[in-house]
Each structure stands twice: as structure tokens, then as C-alpha cells.
């Protein structure tokens, strides 16, 4: 996500901050697919990256 409302413009921190987005992405995918997903932020504006990027896995 570019221009993420949660963290774009924040100073560089030592951890990712888009916990809400992780839950939102997991919830939307799980709701519409009827499978359990888990999203983890791997790149974040708040850690100096230019976009927020998430890795999503299906949990069996």
C-alpha cells in the first residue's frame, strides 16, 4: 500500500505499525473465501520503506 493512512509520513521507527491493516486484510480474505488467512507486514513506511507490503498465508 502506498500512502497508507496509518503510517505514511511518520518518522522512521524500529518496528512496523500497520497492525490494523494486517487484521483487515486477513479478515476480508477470510470472509470472502471461507478460509483462514494470516497477513504479516514485511515492509512499512514507519521502518523507512516507500510502501507498506504484506505477506499473506492460508492457515490450515
Amino acid at each position: 500500500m502506498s500512502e497508507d493512512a496509518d503510517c505514511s509520513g511518520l518518522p522512521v521507527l524500529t518496528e512496523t505499525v500497520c497492525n490494523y491493516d494486517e487484521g483487515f486484510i486477513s479478515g476480508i480474505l477470510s470472509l470472502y473465501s471461507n478460509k483462514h488467512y494470516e497477513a504479516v507486514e514485511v515492509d512499512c513506511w514507519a521502518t523507512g520503506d516507500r510502501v507498506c507490503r504484506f505477506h499473506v498465508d492460508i492457515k490450515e
Side-chain angles (χ1 to χ4, degrees):
M1 277 184 239
S2 61
E3 300 297 323
D4 189 340
D6 292 334
C7 64
S8 62
L10 287 178
V12 176
L13 306 170
T14 58
E15 61 186 280
T16 61
V17 296
C18 298
N19 301 337
Y20 172 82
D21 297 319
E22 290 174 336
F24 184 79
I25 292 167
S26 297
I28 289 290
L29 291 173
S30 297
L31 178 68
Y32 285 104
S33 69
N34 224 13
K35 298 177 182 174
H36 180 69
Y37 283 83
E38 184 176 284
V40 176
E41 187 174 25
V42 294
D43 295 320
C44 183
W45 268 93
T47 59
D49 296 304
R50 299 302 303 157
V51 296
C52 294
R53 193 175 326 264
F54 300 84
H55 182 82
V56 182
D57 282 322
I58 296 175
K59 295 298 176 184
E60 300 292 329

